[in-house]
Short mmCIF file of all heavy atoms in Angstrom, two decimals:
data_model
loop_
_atom_site.label_atom_id
_atom_site.label_comp_id
_atom_site.label_asym_id
_atom_site.label_seq_id
_atom_site.Cartn_x
_atom_site.Cartn_y
_atom_site.Cartn_z
N MET A 7 -6.97 -15.53 3.87
CA MET A 7 -6.35 -14.96 2.66
C MET A 7 -7.15 -13.71 2.29
O MET A 7 -8.42 -13.74 2.25
CB MET A 7 -6.35 -15.85 1.44
CG MET A 7 -5.56 -15.30 0.30
SD MET A 7 -5.38 -16.67 -0.96
CE MET A 7 -5.46 -15.65 -2.38
N ALA A 8 -6.49 -12.58 2.26
CA ALA A 8 -7.12 -11.25 2.05
C ALA A 8 -7.68 -11.22 0.50
O ALA A 8 -7.16 -11.87 -0.33
CB ALA A 8 -6.20 -10.12 2.28
N THR A 9 -8.94 -10.45 0.49
CA THR A 9 -9.42 -10.41 -0.83
C THR A 9 -8.56 -9.46 -1.66
O THR A 9 -8.14 -8.39 -1.21
CB THR A 9 -10.78 -9.72 -0.79
OG1 THR A 9 -11.67 -10.53 0.10
CG2 THR A 9 -11.46 -9.54 -2.11
N ARG A 10 -8.33 -9.78 -2.85
CA ARG A 10 -7.49 -8.99 -3.69
C ARG A 10 -8.31 -7.74 -4.23
O ARG A 10 -9.45 -7.90 -4.50
CB ARG A 10 -6.90 -9.74 -4.98
CG ARG A 10 -5.91 -10.68 -4.55
CD ARG A 10 -4.54 -10.14 -5.05
NE ARG A 10 -3.34 -10.96 -4.50
CZ ARG A 10 -2.97 -12.09 -4.88
NH1 ARG A 10 -3.65 -12.71 -5.79
NH2 ARG A 10 -1.90 -12.65 -4.34
N LEU A 11 -7.59 -6.74 -4.32
CA LEU A 11 -8.29 -5.46 -4.83
C LEU A 11 -7.88 -5.26 -6.40
O LEU A 11 -6.73 -5.68 -6.63
CB LEU A 11 -7.93 -4.25 -4.05
CG LEU A 11 -8.35 -4.27 -2.57
CD1 LEU A 11 -7.78 -3.07 -1.83
CD2 LEU A 11 -9.93 -4.18 -2.53
N VAL A 12 -8.70 -4.69 -7.05
CA VAL A 12 -8.46 -4.37 -8.42
C VAL A 12 -8.67 -2.85 -8.71
O VAL A 12 -9.64 -2.34 -8.20
CB VAL A 12 -9.35 -5.25 -9.48
CG1 VAL A 12 -9.41 -4.63 -10.75
CG2 VAL A 12 -8.89 -6.71 -9.39
N CYS A 13 -7.75 -2.34 -9.52
CA CYS A 13 -7.85 -0.93 -9.83
C CYS A 13 -9.03 -0.69 -10.87
O CYS A 13 -8.94 -1.42 -11.89
CB CYS A 13 -6.56 -0.42 -10.27
SG CYS A 13 -6.59 1.28 -10.89
N ARG A 14 -9.94 0.17 -10.61
CA ARG A 14 -10.96 0.34 -11.62
C ARG A 14 -10.51 1.07 -12.91
O ARG A 14 -11.08 0.97 -13.84
CB ARG A 14 -12.09 1.23 -11.04
CG ARG A 14 -12.97 0.48 -10.08
CD ARG A 14 -14.29 1.32 -9.98
NE ARG A 14 -15.25 0.70 -8.96
CZ ARG A 14 -15.25 0.85 -7.76
NH1 ARG A 14 -14.47 1.78 -7.11
NH2 ARG A 14 -16.13 0.23 -6.96
N ASP A 15 -9.40 1.81 -12.75
CA ASP A 15 -8.93 2.54 -13.85
C ASP A 15 -8.06 1.76 -14.80
O ASP A 15 -8.19 1.73 -16.04
CB ASP A 15 -8.09 3.79 -13.38
CG ASP A 15 -9.01 4.76 -12.75
OD1 ASP A 15 -10.34 4.76 -13.17
OD2 ASP A 15 -8.60 5.60 -12.08
N CYS A 16 -7.06 0.93 -14.28
CA CYS A 16 -6.25 0.07 -15.15
C CYS A 16 -6.46 -1.31 -15.03
O CYS A 16 -5.78 -2.12 -15.80
CB CYS A 16 -4.73 0.52 -14.92
SG CYS A 16 -4.09 -0.04 -13.34
N HIS A 17 -7.37 -1.83 -14.20
CA HIS A 17 -7.66 -3.29 -14.06
C HIS A 17 -6.56 -4.00 -13.58
O HIS A 17 -6.67 -5.38 -13.64
CB HIS A 17 -8.24 -3.73 -15.42
CG HIS A 17 -9.62 -3.13 -15.75
ND1 HIS A 17 -10.39 -3.77 -16.63
CD2 HIS A 17 -10.25 -2.13 -15.29
CE1 HIS A 17 -11.57 -3.05 -16.72
NE2 HIS A 17 -11.52 -2.04 -15.94
N ARG A 18 -5.61 -3.45 -12.98
CA ARG A 18 -4.56 -4.36 -12.42
C ARG A 18 -4.94 -5.03 -11.21
O ARG A 18 -5.70 -4.38 -10.33
CB ARG A 18 -3.30 -3.52 -12.13
CG ARG A 18 -2.35 -3.36 -13.27
CD ARG A 18 -1.18 -2.53 -12.85
NE ARG A 18 -0.29 -2.30 -13.90
CZ ARG A 18 0.74 -3.07 -14.22
NH1 ARG A 18 0.97 -4.18 -13.48
NH2 ARG A 18 1.49 -2.79 -15.25
N VAL A 19 -4.63 -6.30 -10.98
CA VAL A 19 -4.88 -7.01 -9.70
C VAL A 19 -3.78 -6.64 -8.78
O VAL A 19 -2.57 -6.78 -9.11
CB VAL A 19 -4.94 -8.49 -9.93
CG1 VAL A 19 -5.17 -9.30 -8.59
CG2 VAL A 19 -6.07 -8.93 -10.87
N LEU A 20 -4.16 -6.14 -7.61
CA LEU A 20 -3.12 -5.52 -6.71
C LEU A 20 -2.95 -6.39 -5.40
O LEU A 20 -3.82 -7.09 -5.00
CB LEU A 20 -3.63 -4.06 -6.24
CG LEU A 20 -3.95 -3.25 -7.29
CD1 LEU A 20 -4.55 -1.93 -6.90
CD2 LEU A 20 -2.79 -2.87 -8.26
N ASP A 21 -1.80 -6.24 -4.86
CA ASP A 21 -1.55 -6.99 -3.57
C ASP A 21 -1.72 -6.09 -2.42
O ASP A 21 -1.53 -6.53 -1.27
CB ASP A 21 -0.02 -7.41 -3.62
CG ASP A 21 0.17 -8.54 -4.57
OD1 ASP A 21 -0.70 -9.47 -4.75
OD2 ASP A 21 1.22 -8.55 -5.23
N VAL A 22 -2.15 -4.92 -2.60
CA VAL A 22 -2.35 -3.94 -1.53
C VAL A 22 -3.61 -4.30 -0.72
O VAL A 22 -4.49 -4.98 -1.22
CB VAL A 22 -2.45 -2.47 -1.99
CG1 VAL A 22 -1.19 -2.07 -2.73
CG2 VAL A 22 -3.69 -2.29 -2.86
N GLU A 23 -3.67 -3.84 0.49
CA GLU A 23 -4.92 -4.07 1.35
C GLU A 23 -5.31 -2.77 1.78
O GLU A 23 -4.61 -1.81 2.00
CB GLU A 23 -4.60 -4.91 2.57
CG GLU A 23 -4.26 -6.36 2.17
CD GLU A 23 -3.98 -7.12 3.37
OE1 GLU A 23 -4.51 -6.85 4.45
OE2 GLU A 23 -3.30 -8.15 3.31
N GLY A 24 -6.63 -2.59 1.99
CA GLY A 24 -7.23 -1.31 2.44
C GLY A 24 -7.30 -0.22 1.54
O GLY A 24 -7.48 -0.49 0.32
N ASP A 25 -7.15 1.02 2.00
CA ASP A 25 -7.40 2.10 1.14
C ASP A 25 -6.06 2.68 0.52
O ASP A 25 -5.86 3.85 0.52
CB ASP A 25 -8.04 3.24 1.98
CG ASP A 25 -9.40 2.81 2.50
OD1 ASP A 25 -10.08 2.01 1.79
OD2 ASP A 25 -9.74 3.14 3.65
N GLU A 26 -5.35 1.74 -0.09
CA GLU A 26 -4.14 2.26 -0.74
C GLU A 26 -4.37 2.64 -2.17
O GLU A 26 -5.47 2.40 -2.66
CB GLU A 26 -3.04 1.14 -0.66
CG GLU A 26 -2.68 0.89 0.79
CD GLU A 26 -1.51 -0.20 0.78
OE1 GLU A 26 -0.57 0.07 0.08
OE2 GLU A 26 -1.62 -1.14 1.57
N GLN A 27 -3.30 3.19 -2.71
CA GLN A 27 -3.46 3.64 -4.06
C GLN A 27 -2.99 2.54 -4.98
O GLN A 27 -2.12 1.68 -4.58
CB GLN A 27 -2.69 4.90 -4.41
CG GLN A 27 -3.23 6.13 -3.75
CD GLN A 27 -2.45 7.32 -4.16
OE1 GLN A 27 -1.25 7.24 -4.35
NE2 GLN A 27 -3.13 8.50 -4.34
N CYS A 28 -3.44 2.61 -6.31
CA CYS A 28 -2.82 1.67 -7.28
C CYS A 28 -1.37 2.07 -7.54
O CYS A 28 -1.19 3.28 -7.95
CB CYS A 28 -3.72 1.75 -8.52
SG CYS A 28 -3.02 0.84 -10.00
N PRO A 29 -0.41 1.15 -7.43
CA PRO A 29 0.96 1.62 -7.67
C PRO A 29 1.23 1.78 -9.17
O PRO A 29 2.27 2.34 -9.51
CB PRO A 29 1.79 0.34 -7.13
CG PRO A 29 0.81 -0.74 -7.09
CD PRO A 29 -0.53 -0.19 -6.97
N ALA A 30 0.43 1.33 -10.03
CA ALA A 30 0.66 1.48 -11.41
C ALA A 30 0.22 2.76 -11.96
O ALA A 30 0.93 3.47 -12.78
CB ALA A 30 -0.07 0.30 -12.19
N CYS A 31 -0.99 3.27 -11.61
CA CYS A 31 -1.59 4.41 -12.20
C CYS A 31 -1.82 5.50 -11.19
O CYS A 31 -2.24 6.63 -11.58
CB CYS A 31 -2.73 4.15 -13.09
SG CYS A 31 -4.23 3.66 -12.08
N GLY A 32 -1.74 5.22 -9.90
CA GLY A 32 -1.90 6.19 -8.88
C GLY A 32 -3.37 6.40 -8.55
O GLY A 32 -3.74 7.26 -7.66
N SER A 33 -4.25 5.61 -9.10
CA SER A 33 -5.72 5.83 -8.84
C SER A 33 -6.04 5.22 -7.42
O SER A 33 -5.33 4.31 -6.97
CB SER A 33 -6.58 4.98 -9.72
OG SER A 33 -7.98 4.95 -9.40
N ASN A 34 -6.91 5.90 -6.68
CA ASN A 34 -7.40 5.30 -5.43
C ASN A 34 -8.71 4.69 -5.55
O ASN A 34 -9.49 4.43 -4.54
CB ASN A 34 -7.22 6.31 -4.27
CG ASN A 34 -7.87 7.55 -4.58
OD1 ASN A 34 -8.80 7.69 -5.48
ND2 ASN A 34 -7.50 8.66 -3.86
N SER A 35 -9.24 4.43 -6.81
CA SER A 35 -10.49 3.84 -7.07
C SER A 35 -10.24 2.35 -7.10
O SER A 35 -10.13 1.78 -8.28
CB SER A 35 -11.18 4.37 -8.26
OG SER A 35 -12.40 3.71 -8.54
N LEU A 36 -10.26 1.65 -5.94
CA LEU A 36 -9.95 0.17 -5.97
C LEU A 36 -11.20 -0.55 -5.56
O LEU A 36 -12.08 0.02 -4.79
CB LEU A 36 -8.87 -0.20 -4.98
CG LEU A 36 -7.58 0.66 -5.03
CD1 LEU A 36 -6.52 0.25 -4.05
CD2 LEU A 36 -6.98 0.66 -6.46
N THR A 37 -11.42 -1.73 -6.01
CA THR A 37 -12.69 -2.44 -5.70
C THR A 37 -12.38 -3.94 -5.51
O THR A 37 -11.44 -4.55 -6.04
CB THR A 37 -13.63 -2.41 -7.03
OG1 THR A 37 -14.80 -3.06 -6.65
CG2 THR A 37 -13.05 -2.84 -8.29
N GLU A 38 -13.27 -4.58 -4.70
CA GLU A 38 -13.16 -6.09 -4.41
C GLU A 38 -14.18 -6.74 -5.33
O GLU A 38 -14.16 -7.93 -5.44
CB GLU A 38 -13.54 -6.34 -2.91
CG GLU A 38 -12.55 -5.83 -1.96
CD GLU A 38 -13.01 -6.16 -0.54
OE1 GLU A 38 -14.02 -6.83 -0.43
OE2 GLU A 38 -12.27 -5.69 0.43
N ASP A 39 -14.94 -5.90 -6.12
CA ASP A 39 -15.97 -6.52 -6.84
C ASP A 39 -15.44 -6.74 -8.26
O ASP A 39 -15.77 -5.81 -9.21
CB ASP A 39 -17.29 -5.58 -6.81
CG ASP A 39 -18.43 -6.32 -7.39
OD1 ASP A 39 -18.41 -7.51 -7.69
OD2 ASP A 39 -19.52 -5.58 -7.56
N TRP A 40 -14.88 -7.79 -8.58
CA TRP A 40 -14.28 -8.08 -9.83
C TRP A 40 -14.27 -9.52 -10.21
O TRP A 40 -14.56 -10.36 -9.24
CB TRP A 40 -12.86 -7.50 -9.99
CG TRP A 40 -11.96 -8.15 -8.96
CD1 TRP A 40 -11.74 -7.66 -7.70
CD2 TRP A 40 -10.99 -9.17 -9.23
NE1 TRP A 40 -10.78 -8.45 -7.10
CE2 TRP A 40 -10.32 -9.42 -7.94
CE3 TRP A 40 -10.76 -10.08 -10.18
CZ2 TRP A 40 -9.41 -10.46 -7.81
CZ3 TRP A 40 -9.82 -11.08 -10.09
CH2 TRP A 40 -9.12 -11.21 -8.84
N ALA A 41 -14.20 -9.95 -11.40
CA ALA A 41 -14.23 -11.29 -11.77
C ALA A 41 -13.20 -11.62 -12.97
O ALA A 41 -13.05 -10.72 -13.75
CB ALA A 41 -15.70 -11.62 -12.21
N GLY A 42 -12.77 -12.80 -12.92
CA GLY A 42 -11.85 -13.21 -13.98
C GLY A 42 -10.44 -12.71 -13.67
O GLY A 42 -10.15 -11.76 -12.96
N TYR A 43 -9.49 -13.44 -14.17
CA TYR A 43 -8.03 -13.18 -13.84
C TYR A 43 -7.24 -13.55 -14.94
O TYR A 43 -7.36 -14.75 -15.45
CB TYR A 43 -7.81 -14.02 -12.63
CG TYR A 43 -6.46 -13.82 -11.89
CD1 TYR A 43 -6.33 -13.00 -10.86
CD2 TYR A 43 -5.35 -14.58 -12.37
CE1 TYR A 43 -5.03 -12.85 -10.24
CE2 TYR A 43 -4.12 -14.43 -11.77
CZ TYR A 43 -4.00 -13.55 -10.70
OH TYR A 43 -2.84 -13.36 -10.07
N VAL A 44 -6.42 -12.68 -15.51
CA VAL A 44 -5.62 -13.01 -16.59
C VAL A 44 -4.23 -12.56 -16.33
O VAL A 44 -3.99 -11.41 -15.84
CB VAL A 44 -6.21 -12.42 -17.96
CG1 VAL A 44 -6.24 -10.97 -17.91
CG2 VAL A 44 -5.43 -12.96 -19.14
N VAL A 45 -3.24 -13.32 -16.66
CA VAL A 45 -1.79 -12.91 -16.46
C VAL A 45 -1.33 -12.62 -18.02
O VAL A 45 -1.45 -13.43 -18.88
CB VAL A 45 -0.94 -13.97 -15.87
CG1 VAL A 45 0.50 -13.59 -15.93
CG2 VAL A 45 -1.42 -14.32 -14.51
N ILE A 46 -0.96 -11.31 -18.19
CA ILE A 46 -0.42 -11.02 -19.46
C ILE A 46 1.10 -10.84 -19.37
O ILE A 46 1.57 -10.01 -18.67
CB ILE A 46 -1.08 -9.71 -19.99
CG1 ILE A 46 -2.59 -9.91 -20.15
CG2 ILE A 46 -0.45 -9.21 -21.21
CD1 ILE A 46 -3.34 -8.77 -20.41
N ALA A 47 1.85 -11.75 -20.02
CA ALA A 47 3.23 -11.82 -19.91
C ALA A 47 3.94 -10.96 -21.06
O ALA A 47 4.96 -10.33 -20.84
CB ALA A 47 3.83 -13.22 -19.85
N HIS A 48 3.27 -11.06 -22.19
CA HIS A 48 3.91 -10.37 -23.39
C HIS A 48 2.76 -9.65 -24.09
O HIS A 48 2.23 -10.03 -25.06
CB HIS A 48 4.49 -11.39 -24.33
CG HIS A 48 5.55 -12.29 -23.66
ND1 HIS A 48 6.78 -11.77 -23.46
CD2 HIS A 48 5.50 -13.54 -23.32
CE1 HIS A 48 7.46 -12.73 -22.86
NE2 HIS A 48 6.68 -13.74 -22.75
N PRO A 49 2.51 -8.43 -23.50
CA PRO A 49 1.36 -7.56 -24.04
C PRO A 49 1.43 -7.35 -25.52
O PRO A 49 0.40 -7.25 -26.28
CB PRO A 49 1.39 -6.44 -23.27
CG PRO A 49 2.64 -6.30 -22.55
CD PRO A 49 3.22 -7.68 -22.46
N GLU A 50 2.70 -7.25 -26.07
CA GLU A 50 2.74 -6.86 -27.53
C GLU A 50 2.37 -8.07 -28.35
O GLU A 50 1.99 -7.88 -29.65
CB GLU A 50 4.17 -6.43 -27.87
CG GLU A 50 5.32 -7.56 -27.74
CD GLU A 50 5.64 -7.75 -26.26
OE1 GLU A 50 5.19 -7.13 -25.30
OE2 GLU A 50 6.70 -8.58 -26.05
N GLU A 51 2.27 -9.28 -27.81
CA GLU A 51 1.91 -10.38 -28.66
C GLU A 51 0.49 -10.99 -28.17
O GLU A 51 0.10 -11.99 -28.74
CB GLU A 51 2.89 -11.57 -28.30
CG GLU A 51 4.35 -11.22 -28.69
CD GLU A 51 5.32 -12.20 -28.27
OE1 GLU A 51 4.92 -13.34 -27.66
OE2 GLU A 51 6.53 -12.00 -28.46
N SER A 52 -0.20 -10.20 -27.39
CA SER A 52 -1.37 -10.86 -26.83
C SER A 52 -2.62 -10.14 -27.35
O SER A 52 -2.80 -8.91 -27.25
CB SER A 52 -1.36 -10.61 -25.26
OG SER A 52 -2.63 -10.83 -24.70
N GLU A 53 -3.62 -10.92 -27.82
CA GLU A 53 -4.85 -10.33 -28.34
C GLU A 53 -5.68 -9.83 -27.06
O GLU A 53 -6.46 -8.88 -27.22
CB GLU A 53 -5.64 -11.34 -29.08
CG GLU A 53 -4.92 -11.70 -30.44
CD GLU A 53 -5.79 -12.76 -31.20
OE1 GLU A 53 -6.94 -13.01 -30.90
OE2 GLU A 53 -5.16 -13.36 -32.07
N ILE A 54 -5.62 -10.49 -25.99
CA ILE A 54 -6.36 -10.04 -24.77
C ILE A 54 -5.81 -8.66 -24.40
O ILE A 54 -6.50 -7.81 -24.03
CB ILE A 54 -6.09 -11.17 -23.61
CG1 ILE A 54 -6.72 -12.48 -24.07
CG2 ILE A 54 -6.81 -10.58 -22.41
CD1 ILE A 54 -6.37 -13.54 -23.04
N ALA A 55 -4.51 -8.59 -24.34
CA ALA A 55 -3.90 -7.25 -23.99
C ALA A 55 -4.34 -6.23 -24.94
O ALA A 55 -4.64 -5.08 -24.56
CB ALA A 55 -2.40 -7.35 -23.99
N GLU A 56 -4.46 -6.50 -26.23
CA GLU A 56 -4.86 -5.48 -27.16
C GLU A 56 -6.30 -5.09 -26.96
O GLU A 56 -6.65 -3.97 -26.91
CB GLU A 56 -4.71 -6.11 -28.60
CG GLU A 56 -4.84 -5.03 -29.65
CD GLU A 56 -4.53 -5.64 -31.09
OE1 GLU A 56 -3.83 -6.50 -31.17
OE2 GLU A 56 -5.23 -5.10 -32.05
N ALA A 57 -7.12 -6.18 -26.67
CA ALA A 57 -8.62 -5.91 -26.42
C ALA A 57 -8.73 -5.05 -25.17
O ALA A 57 -9.65 -4.23 -25.00
CB ALA A 57 -9.35 -7.21 -26.31
N MET A 58 -7.89 -5.29 -24.13
CA MET A 58 -8.04 -4.60 -22.81
C MET A 58 -7.20 -3.28 -22.84
O MET A 58 -7.13 -2.64 -21.87
CB MET A 58 -7.51 -5.43 -21.81
CG MET A 58 -8.46 -6.70 -21.56
SD MET A 58 -7.81 -7.77 -20.22
CE MET A 58 -7.98 -6.73 -18.81
N GLU A 59 -6.57 -3.03 -23.97
CA GLU A 59 -5.63 -1.81 -24.04
C GLU A 59 -4.58 -1.83 -22.97
O GLU A 59 -4.31 -0.77 -22.35
CB GLU A 59 -6.47 -0.59 -23.99
CG GLU A 59 -7.55 -0.44 -25.13
CD GLU A 59 -8.36 0.75 -25.12
OE1 GLU A 59 -8.13 1.53 -24.20
OE2 GLU A 59 -9.20 0.97 -25.98
N VAL A 60 -4.03 -3.00 -22.74
CA VAL A 60 -2.87 -3.13 -21.82
C VAL A 60 -1.52 -3.13 -22.57
O VAL A 60 -1.49 -3.83 -23.54
CB VAL A 60 -3.16 -4.59 -21.06
CG1 VAL A 60 -1.97 -4.91 -20.38
CG2 VAL A 60 -4.26 -4.49 -20.08
N THR A 61 -0.76 -2.28 -21.98
CA THR A 61 0.65 -2.26 -22.56
C THR A 61 1.74 -2.78 -21.69
O THR A 61 2.93 -2.92 -22.17
CB THR A 61 0.88 -0.84 -23.00
OG1 THR A 61 0.88 -0.01 -21.85
CG2 THR A 61 -0.04 -0.32 -24.09
N GLU A 62 1.39 -3.13 -20.41
CA GLU A 62 2.46 -3.52 -19.53
C GLU A 62 2.09 -4.95 -19.05
O GLU A 62 0.92 -5.20 -18.82
CB GLU A 62 2.53 -2.77 -18.31
CG GLU A 62 3.24 -1.33 -18.53
CD GLU A 62 3.39 -0.57 -17.24
OE1 GLU A 62 4.06 -1.14 -16.28
OE2 GLU A 62 2.83 0.50 -17.09
N ALA A 63 3.19 -5.84 -18.88
CA ALA A 63 2.85 -7.10 -18.38
C ALA A 63 2.49 -7.06 -16.94
O ALA A 63 2.75 -6.10 -16.18
CB ALA A 63 4.25 -7.94 -18.40
N GLY A 64 1.58 -8.07 -16.63
CA GLY A 64 1.09 -8.07 -15.16
C GLY A 64 -0.21 -8.94 -15.07
O GLY A 64 -0.53 -9.59 -16.03
N ARG A 65 -0.83 -8.69 -13.98
CA ARG A 65 -2.11 -9.54 -13.72
C ARG A 65 -3.27 -8.54 -13.76
O ARG A 65 -3.20 -7.52 -13.18
CB ARG A 65 -1.93 -10.14 -12.30
CG ARG A 65 -0.95 -11.26 -12.21
CD ARG A 65 -0.69 -11.54 -10.75
NE ARG A 65 -0.29 -10.28 -9.99
CZ ARG A 65 -0.38 -10.06 -8.69
NH1 ARG A 65 -0.93 -11.03 -7.97
NH2 ARG A 65 -0.03 -9.03 -8.06
N TYR A 66 -4.24 -8.93 -14.51
CA TYR A 66 -5.34 -8.06 -14.75
C TYR A 66 -6.72 -8.71 -14.55
O TYR A 66 -6.81 -9.98 -14.82
CB TYR A 66 -5.39 -7.48 -16.23
CG TYR A 66 -4.18 -6.60 -16.44
CD1 TYR A 66 -2.94 -7.18 -16.89
CD2 TYR A 66 -4.24 -5.25 -16.23
CE1 TYR A 66 -1.87 -6.36 -17.11
CE2 TYR A 66 -3.16 -4.45 -16.48
CZ TYR A 66 -1.99 -4.98 -16.95
OH TYR A 66 -0.89 -4.18 -17.12
N ALA A 67 -7.68 -7.98 -14.11
CA ALA A 67 -9.03 -8.51 -13.95
C ALA A 67 -9.78 -8.33 -15.32
O ALA A 67 -9.67 -7.33 -15.90
CB ALA A 67 -9.73 -7.83 -12.87
N LEU A 68 -10.61 -9.35 -15.69
CA LEU A 68 -11.37 -9.23 -16.81
C LEU A 68 -12.62 -8.32 -16.81
O LEU A 68 -12.88 -7.58 -17.56
CB LEU A 68 -11.74 -10.62 -17.37
CG LEU A 68 -10.65 -11.46 -17.91
CD1 LEU A 68 -11.24 -12.85 -18.21
CD2 LEU A 68 -10.07 -10.92 -19.10
N LYS A 69 -13.22 -8.48 -15.59
CA LYS A 69 -14.48 -7.76 -15.39
C LYS A 69 -14.35 -6.94 -14.11
O LYS A 69 -14.05 -7.52 -12.98
CB LYS A 69 -15.71 -8.61 -15.27
CG LYS A 69 -16.12 -9.22 -16.58
CD LYS A 69 -17.43 -9.94 -16.39
CE LYS A 69 -17.90 -10.66 -17.72
NZ LYS A 69 -19.04 -11.48 -17.49
N VAL A 70 -14.56 -5.69 -14.12
CA VAL A 70 -14.51 -4.88 -12.93
C VAL A 70 -15.88 -4.10 -12.82
O VAL A 70 -16.17 -3.43 -13.79
CB VAL A 70 -13.40 -3.89 -12.93
CG1 VAL A 70 -13.30 -2.92 -11.68
CG2 VAL A 70 -12.01 -4.59 -13.04
N ARG A 71 -16.53 -4.15 -11.63
CA ARG A 71 -17.77 -3.45 -11.56
C ARG A 71 -17.70 -2.10 -10.78
O ARG A 71 -16.65 -1.93 -10.14
CB ARG A 71 -18.83 -4.31 -10.88
CG ARG A 71 -19.14 -5.58 -11.68
CD ARG A 71 -20.15 -6.43 -11.03
NE ARG A 71 -20.14 -7.66 -11.56
CZ ARG A 71 -19.28 -8.75 -11.22
NH1 ARG A 71 -18.50 -8.47 -10.21
NH2 ARG A 71 -19.46 -9.87 -11.66
ZN1 ZN B 108 -4.47 1.39 -11.68
#
């Protein structure tokens, strides 16, 4: 199983492999060095989403180095 990449800019957990861009924000600053995994289904009702400044549903990493 391939290591999941996380976008350093928007913290989305991505299904891409290699040197691709983040499909959400277009950043090419992706990292394998991340920890924690949170699924935000309803960002408008989620305190986690508010704390992370997330406005779109999706999968996000809690810590990105
Ligand atoms: Zn991104």
